[in-house]
Amino acid sequence: MAGSEAAWQAANAGLQVVIHEMRPTVGTFAHRTGHLGEMVCSNSFRSDDHEQNAVGLLHWEMMQANGLIMQTAYKHRLPAGGALAVDRDPFAESVTATLCAHPNITVTDAEIRTLPDDGHWIIATGPLTSGPLAAAIQQETGAEALAFFDAIAPIVYADSINMDVAWMQSRYDKGETEAERTAYLNCPMTRDQYEAFVDALLAADKTAFKEGETAGYFDGCLPIEVMAERGRETLRFGPMKPVGLTNAHDPATKAYAVVQLRRDNALGTLFNIVGFQTKMKYGAQKAVFKMIPGLENAEFARLGGIHRNTFINSPSLLDGQMRLRSKPNIRFAGQITGVEGYVESAAMGLLAGRLAVAELTGENLPPVPATTAMGALVSHITGGAEARTFQPMNVNFGLFPPVDGIKGGRRNRKDRYKAYTDRAKADWQVWLDQMALDAA
């Protein structure tokens, strides 16, 4: 997504762009197609609230900047309460068709195996950098590339879900339309069922790391069984929390825990199990997940999996323009820079594309304001974070400079977040206008 967005921004500014996409000639563990912008994990871009949520604000900023990924996401939106979820295959097909049709863009399936010495490049390899390119990056940076493991959640066929047990409802009935308020399927558990489920998770056969392979997990995408290992109640306060939900089949009985499934395509024939990314072996997954009430006869369109995810130590390697210090003809963008999530990755692609345009056209572009979601992210990865302890990060208001006159605390959080987003929108629009003036 980062490379797609970078190419779109540069091409729309009049530059000739070549996208090097090794798929489908060279495949990966997680991808199924050769489409640009293919979603390999969740189909959600998370919260679309641009007044109270930092990722929703990032949605807004990208739309104001003519962002391809966000425009396409809204075009293929699925009901998901307050979240922006998309029909994943039409989404990727649309991104691909739009880029291939652009007169300034050429797409090739050539694999890039080295870091080029000349020309202007943006490395946006996504979650599964090819072995040769990863080795080239490692050799150039003179340090071990940081890595973690990312896990994929399973997808269930809707017609195999027992609707005599499950019911449709978004948490707290969020959403403006009936479709949004019923975007999730819910499977309730009693305390005994929950305890048995946790026991099964802990005992299940799991994928082992290869010899010599060590890495941590990103906390925002922990395998469900790793969460269970952190304490028996962890899941009840995480993806299986029962709050904000009322069982339509038995309103008087409060579930001890609830498993949610979110629509994964426009037809409503597929649902992914929210927060249930896993490293369990396939046989164990079927056995354990069928313990969930309502999924006892579940048929799986895709089982979960685990893959290695590589990112660079951006604070020590990149300058403020997202260029590799040792090879300034190369910019990095997307998840490889240490941002986490579809939206954040695409946002860094958007910014890398615009920074490249400014450099190649001689624009006098001011720094991206750190008060914006885009600026807070790029400031974090290019120097705001501590290089020694650098780990992948989602956008959040903790990365923003404080707003004068707004005190902290939970009771004043709504006002504080609104102040952050109001300031960000104003500053982002000024920055975009400055780009337009310089281009003119």
Side-chain angles (χ1 to χ4, degrees), residues 46 74 163 231 273 275 319 373:
R46 312 197 318 278
Y74 286 117
M163 294 304 297
I273 312 180
D319 67 13

Side-chain angles (χ1 to χ4, degrees), residues 44 46 79-85 163 166-171 174 179-187 245 259-263 271-272 274:
S44 174
R46 312 197 318 278
L84 175 57
M163 294 304 297
W167 78 95
M168 302 191 77
Q169 181 192 7
S170 294
R171 199 179 303 277
K174 288 191 69 174
E180 291 172 336
R181 290 189 291 270
T182 58
Y184 292 81
L185 284 175
N186 302 280
C187 298
L245 298 167
V259 175
Q260 285 200 306
L261 295 89
R262 182 179 56 238
R263 184 180 299 188
F271 279 78
N272 67 66
V274 178

